[in-house]
Amino acid sequence: MDLWFSEYHTKSVKYSIKVDKQLFSKKSDFQRIDIFYSKDLGNILTLDGYLMVTEKDEFVYHEMITHVALAVNPDIKNILVIGAGDGGTIRELTKYSIDSVENIDMVEIDEEVVKACLEYLPQTSHRLIDSRVKMFYEDGLKFVRKKKNEYDLIIIDSTDPFGPGEGLFTKEFYGNCYNALKENGILINQHESPFYDNDAKAVAKINKRLRHVFPVCLVYQAHIPSYPSGHWLFGFASKNLHPLNDLNAEIWNNLNIKTKYYNTDLHWGCFALPNYVKELLTDDE
Ligand code: SAM
């Protein structure tokens, strides 16, 4: 018998993976959590039937959501990570020595995701035990309301703009993130895919809201094969640092951080966007 996981990318386009084994399934207070094994993609995490992580291509997403900001500002010490229950973002951040990254507050709404990933996704979760990581099982939207002038970097590694992640794409939330950041603060968020019509609308909306709050607001791209269309965007927003003019390539390269996707040549290239994406980013909501 063949067992397949399918995710609809539009009503008439779907992405399917042959499931060799179902490793875990649970309904938490927030979402349904599943972990599958696929011969070609390794272990796969899905939430409410949406693909979050495959062991095969997670390195692209996790390297791109972290190193771009740290190559711009080597003085990032205090970091807030919102979502990120699989632990991949933390794994990348803990590649920096304790002299640079001193503290990481991680705010994940669903403890069950973390527990499942600790057991079935060690490839991404194995650094969650780092002593610099302080775990808060709370809604990120509420957590940032209390914070003022505290963080050098905020990374929003959330689910899509519906379900528990919806509030993490609002103007109110971005305004609170602005206040939670220090003067040289940077915000990086997962910015969805620009390709299919409904996703493109979400990209335009997210970007307009970010631009409303942050004086510096750019988008960069990566190729993530298991995500809708494979074309994925991240947002770089800050109070004053520019991702290209302020890049500290030499300092970052001297750190000798081992990566599989990110490098400082690619850093320049990933901000060069196709015309159809540029148009989306000037659209009004
Ligand atoms: N790489 C992923 C992607 O974009 O497909 C995101 C991965 S990570 C698993 C997303 C996490 O965000 C989930 O574990 C989810 O529980 C968490 N999350 C969703 N809404 C949240 C909220 N309001 N506050 C904190 N965490 C949230």
Side-chain angles (χ1 to χ4, degrees):
M1 185 187 74
D2 274 1
L3 189 60
W4 289 77
F5 163 81
S6 293
E7 179 182 296
Y8 279 85
H9 289 176
T10 74
K11 281 190 176 140
S12 59
V13 178
K14 70 179 178 181
Y15 178 70
S16 296
I17 303 166
K18 185 168 180 292
V19 171
D20 289 288
K21 206 171 175 187
Q22 171 131 27
L23 301 172
F24 179 85
S25 186
K26 183 168 187 170
K27 179 106 188 54
S28 74
D29 288 345
F30 301 96
Q31 54 213 338
R32 179 180 160 163
I33 306 163
D34 288 287
I35 300 185
F36 306 108
Y37 168 72
S38 136
K39 196 168 151 291
D40 287 321
L41 300 180
N43 290 0
I44 297 166
L45 168 70
T46 70
L47 295 178
D48 282 340
Y50 290 97
L51 192 148
M52 296 286 124
V53 170
T54 85
E55 283 185 327
K56 177 76 174 165
D57 66 356
E58 58 80 14
F59 68 96
V60 184
Y61 180 92
H62 293 123
E63 290 183 15
M64 290 302 279
I65 207 168
T66 50
H67 302 302
V68 170
L70 280 127
V72 171
N73 181 9
D75 294 325
I76 287 173
K77 293 194 181 314
N78 194 20
I79 303 177
L80 171 62
V81 176
I82 295 177
D86 54 81
T89 293
I90 299 294
R91 180 194 64 207
E92 293 306 310
L93 293 174
T94 56
K95 287 180 177 173
Y96 294 82
S97 80
I98 201 151
D99 301 327
S100 58
V101 171
E102 289 174 355
N103 178 68
I104 306 167
D105 287 347
M106 172 168 158
V107 184
E108 163 61 63
I109 203 166
D110 194 346
E111 186 172 4
E112 297 300 330
V113 175
V114 175
K115 282 188 190 159
C117 292
L118 281 169
E119 188 160 358
Y120 295 104
L121 271 180
Q123 177 177 310
T124 51
S125 65
H126 71 282
R127 299 294 304 156
L128 284 170
I129 44 107
D130 191 286
S131 60
R132 291 171 283 177
V133 179
K134 294 193 187 67
M135 195 72 90
F136 300 86
Y137 291 113
E138 283 181 44
D139 186 339
L141 179 68
K142 293 188 184 144
F143 186 91
V144 283
R145 283 187 189 137
K146 304 171 274 187
K147 302 289 173 180
K148 299 274 173 293
N149 195 26
E150 221 172 281
Y151 297 104
D152 303 302
L153 171 63
I154 298 179
I155 297 178
I156 306 160
D157 180 0
S158 63
T159 43
D160 299 317
F162 44 80
E166 196 173 346
L168 305 179
F169 293 87
T170 56
K171 264 187 213 152
E172 185 224 329
F173 174 67
Y174 294 144
N176 289 332
C177 286
Y178 183 95
N179 295 334
L181 285 167
K182 291 185 193 161
E183 204 184 318
N184 273 341
I186 298 173
L187 175 146
I188 303 286
N189 69 343
Q190 70 97 338
H191 210 297
E192 302 289 310
S193 166
F195 191 70
Y196 294 115
D197 290 353
N198 277 344
D199 299 338
K201 281 185 197 142
V203 166
K205 208 175 193 176
I206 296 166
N207 193 257
K208 176 144 192 253
R209 290 176 183 178
L210 268 177
R211 272 187 279 132
H212 190 82
V213 174
F214 286 89
V216 180
C217 190
L218 285 93
V219 162
Y220 59 99
Q221 60 186 357
H223 177 231
I224 307 180
S226 67
Y227 282 2
S229 85
H231 186 185
W232 202 257
L233 302 177
F234 296 91
F236 180 109
S238 82
K239 296 192 176 182
N240 65 66
L241 291 177
H242 188 279
L244 300 176
N245 303 342
D246 294 307
L247 173 65
N248 279 295
E250 204 181 326
I251 296 180
W252 192 83
N253 284 314
N254 285 338
L255 295 174
N256 286 317
I257 304 274
K258 197 169 173 330
T259 48
K260 245 168 108 176
Y261 188 88
Y262 177 79
N263 59 54
T264 50
D265 293 337
L266 186 141
H267 185 115
W268 286 99
C270 69
F271 284 92
L273 300 174
N275 287 346
Y276 85 95
V277 178
K278 283 189 186 178
E279 273 167 31
L280 269 183
L281 304 178
T282 48
D283 272 2
D284 281 346
E285 201 173 321

